[in-house]
Amino acid sequence: MTEFAATMSHINQQTLKVNEKLNELVTNINKVLAKLPSFIAHRLTPLLDKLGSAVTKLWKEFSQFVAEPGDWGKLADAAGKFSDKVQAPVSAQAGRFQETYSKVDDYWKGEASEAYKKVLKPNAPQTAATQQYGDTAEAVSGALDLCRWTILGFWLFVGAAYATLIYQLIGDCVAAASVAGALPALGSAILAIGAFAAAVAGAGWTAIQVLGGPASTFRTENNGNNNWPGGAWPPSGVVAG
């Protein structure tokens, strides 16, 4: 959780840095425009408007990711609980649903006793159902873990993409302070913003594809009662089939 909080704090700082550099870039461009004859300044104005449109589109799309960054901490906590509080104790008990661990047959004789023994033997209804319960908890825990690491990986990628964008904008701000560099700086900044937006969109698409695996696991395990006769927990003393 600390690692994720640090990552998101870094993302917020980088967002502020990008805003700062974009404002600086526009300020430098406007200073250059004030020094140029109007017929030359008109060549820069459309590019400046295009930069503004690119920035607006960038923040609009990126805000969708920032609005719901995912709760890495809750996913980690849930994964740990499924593993430690459910899977581990249930799997430990699955092996005890056997005839050798039951003392009932020491005092209980007859047909009912024999029927009860059959559900306690290895691979019998109660043994199989208990083991499946543990296996389900393990699968869900693994899927939750994959979700949290996918989310963290996405934001680490965004941080790296931000760093590249900031580096480019710093150079563009310097170049935009001169008459000769203003036009190339505008074009470079527009391209850098487009590349950043495309990279983030691509990372988001990849994350969604990866998360399709855990989603499938959740659906499968939610319906995977194949070892439970009739889809319900097997009653003791009753042999399925």
Side-chain angles (χ1 to χ4, degrees), residues 64-79:
Q64 297 176 10
F65 292 105
V66 177
E68 297 184 23
D71 200 321
W72 195 83
K74 286 185 178 179
L75 287 170
D77 184 54

Side-chain angles (χ1 to χ4, degrees), residues 58-189:
L58 169 67
W59 294 133
K60 181 180 180 180
E61 293 183 356
F62 190 63
S63 64
Q64 297 176 10
F65 292 105
V66 177
E68 297 184 23
D71 200 321
W72 195 83
K74 286 185 178 179
L75 287 170
D77 184 54
K81 286 182 178 178
F82 266 100
S83 177
D84 301 336
K85 305 295 185 182
V86 182
Q87 186 271 328
V90 169
S91 294
Q93 292 301 317
R96 300 178 67 86
F97 274 85
Q98 297 179 23
E99 182 183 357
T100 53
Y101 284 94
S102 174
K103 293 184 178 181
V104 174
D105 61 307
D106 295 338
Y107 311 99
W108 188 15
K109 305 297 181 182
E111 293 183 5
S113 174
E114 293 304 314
Y116 182 67
K117 288 179 184 179
K118 290 180 180 179
V119 301
L120 295 179
K121 291 180 179 179
N123 300 320
Q126 286 195 7
T127 302
T130 306
Q131 186 58 57
Q132 180 174 307
Y133 196 85
D135 292 344
T136 292
E138 182 178 20
V140 170
S141 176
L144 289 169
D145 258 331
L146 181 55
C147 286
R148 68 177 175 127
W149 288 116
T150 300
I151 290 172
L152 179 60
F154 168 77
W155 286 112
L156 288 174
F157 179 88
V158 170
Y162 251 146
T164 301
L165 176 61
I166 291 170
Y167 177 81
Q168 184 63 52
L169 290 178
I170 289 175
D172 292 336
C173 286
V174 174
S178 67
V179 173
L183 185 61
L186 268 174
S188 174

